[in-house]
Amino acid sequence: MSRYHEIKHRVATTFQRHVGNPLLRRLPAQPVLETTGRKSGEPRQTPIGGRKVGREFWIVSEFGEKSQYVRNIQADPRVRLRLKGQWHTGTAHLLPDDDPRARLRALPRFNSAAVQAIGTDLLTIRVDLDD
């Protein structure tokens, strides 16, 4: 990762961790992905953007395998997803062969623009919902 991307990643994740995520998690309409912490075993909730299509929910991670929630998925792909105030269980799949820029064009515009603006290593994720 270049020095510029490293600084961009550090600034963005610090802001998300301390400002953005705590605020967004409180909004009932905000989708939230809950993973299991790979070290702690504790639930970790991350506000996300994406779109439900049938029984799948599509996400693009802006920092790929550097994202903490992606690392948690690698350790345990079972997740919960809050959609419109309701929790759903599912299994997350990392899709490195999917074109994340093309995928972003099919996802909500505002979130997609933010992901492209701050992202340094885009990665598509599909959550197969159980219900």
Side-chain angles (χ1 to χ4, degrees):
M1 181 179 280
S2 75
R3 178 89 174 121
Y4 170 74
H5 285 151
E6 186 64 38
I7 291 169
K8 191 175 179 181
H9 175 259
R10 191 173 308 132
V11 169
T13 56
T14 299
F15 175 80
Q16 289 170 337
R17 184 176 301 125
H18 298 290
V19 180
N21 289 358
L23 293 173
L24 290 172
R25 266 195 300 266
R26 292 187 178 117
L27 300 176
Q30 174 67 47
V32 173
L33 177 70
E34 184 178 88
T35 59
T36 300
R38 65 192 176 284
K39 294 178 185 176
S40 69
E42 297 294 319
R44 300 291 181 218
Q45 294 183 351
T46 305
I48 54 165
R51 175 166 284 144
K52 185 177 181 211
V53 179
R55 293 182 59 196
E56 300 170 340
F57 191 85
W58 292 87
I59 308 162
V60 174
S61 168
E62 62 265 57
F63 299 116
E65 293 185 12
K66 285 196 79 170
S67 294
Q68 297 303 312
Y69 73 90
V70 171
R71 291 178 179 184
N72 290 343
I73 289 169
Q74 288 173 319
D76 181 358
R78 293 296 297 164
V79 298
R80 288 194 330 146
L81 191 62
R82 186 182 75 190
L83 300 173
K84 298 180 182 175
Q86 302 236 337
W87 286 98
H88 305 270
T89 58
T91 304
H93 304 275
L94 307 180
L95 304 174
D97 293 332
D98 190 69
D99 180 350
R101 294 195 187 282
R103 183 67 56 193
L104 284 171
R105 290 192 288 276
L107 299 179
R109 193 172 295 163
F110 179 75
N111 180 75
S112 294
V115 168
Q116 286 196 56
I118 66 171
T120 58
D121 188 19
L122 305 181
L123 175 66
T124 302
I125 301 165
R126 184 189 75 233
V127 177
D128 296 335
L129 300 170
D130 296 335
D131 51 357

